[in-house]
Amino acid sequence: MSPRISSLVFDKEERPRQATIITSLGTVKVQWTEVHGDRCWFTSGGLDAKKLAVPVIERIERLTQNL
């Protein structure tokens, strides 16, 4: 099973705020936040599941970058 987005929440400026990604090795929760003027994402979940979720997180960022 390839990783898939289970839920995606946007902020009032239509930037990703939270996401839940389901992988074959577990569920990964992602939260985007602003740190010193830069948008960063933080994850929770197992390390192997996080590794599988990275391409999906990058895809979310690419798709929402030009909005």
Side-chain angles (χ1 to χ4, degrees), residues 3-11 15-23 26-33 39-45 49-50 53-61 63-64:
R4 64 182 179 87
I5 301 168
S6 173
S7 69
L8 183 57
V9 178
F10 294 93
D11 64 10
R15 298 178 301 183
R17 187 179 69 180
Q18 296 176 334
T20 303
I21 300 169
I22 298 175
T23 71
T27 301
V28 176
K29 302 256 184 193
V30 185
Q31 182 159 353
W32 282 265
T33 188
R39 296 242 336 136
C40 301
W41 49 269
F42 299 93
T43 58
S44 65
K50 288 180 185 181
V54 169
V56 177
I57 297 167
E58 291 172 342
R59 186 176 345 134
I60 292 169
E61 290 189 328
L63 292 172
T64 59

